[in-house]
Amino acid sequence: MNSFPSRLNPGRLVLRTLTNPLRAVREAGELETVPPWWQTFVRLAFPVLLVSVIVSQWLYQIIPPGLPPEAMPGAWGFGVYSVLAMSIGVLGLAWSAHYLTELFQGYSHPDRAMLAVTIGLLPAWVGKVVAAFPWPWGNTVGLLLILYSLWLLYGSLCGILGLKRGNRIGLFVATVFCGAFITLIFGWLLMDLIPGATPETRIGTTWLI
């Protein structure tokens, strides 16, 4: 019996993705119909990434980052920037996967592409919160969750979009490259447009991430 949450409960799906990712991907792939792409974004992707940004920014305010004040961006400016940049990243990855799937002989559908990308990115958004904790534990665990998210993204693209063997790695690499390129272009523009999104002095940190 497929117990995949039909109403896209964010908390339940994040927990399932972290504890039993293979089951979450398998159940999502078995769905005959999936929610429209915009519902997946509004009801699942955006709430999770928004909470991720709010909690991580709050942690940065109460945990000393070990950097001088001029090297830290404004909390509100960088928070707004993060939400917009991460939203662009989700949409960029989803539409890249959608348009590239046919090239790799898969089933191209924006609704399934958005669901696959959202499930794949859930651990990375948790990693953003964890990375706010002191070094080295915060950064180390956050990096592991990002790597875990890339693995899960590969699995969700394969399982939910129904790709044949031999075409899966190609779609994964092309999707990540195109999504990252779209995020970089628009994210760089946003960084200069939003007041407080960048620090006065950048010390060994790319604030696009």
Side-chain angles (χ1 to χ4, degrees), residues 86-130:
M86 291 166 67
S87 298
I88 291 172
V90 175
L91 296 172
L93 280 171
W95 286 101
S96 296
H98 166 53
Y99 286 114
L100 290 169
T101 299
E102 288 186 354
L103 181 64
F104 291 92
Q105 301 178 352
Y107 176 65
S108 177
H109 199 287
D111 300 340
R112 289 187 172 273
M114 178 61 74
L115 183 60
V117 167
T118 300
I119 290 177
L121 291 178
L122 289 176
W125 294 331
V126 176
K128 180 176 178 63
V129 174
V130 175

Side-chain angles (χ1 to χ4, degrees), residues 63-74:
I63 300 176
L67 293 173
E70 63 271 15
M72 293 298 295

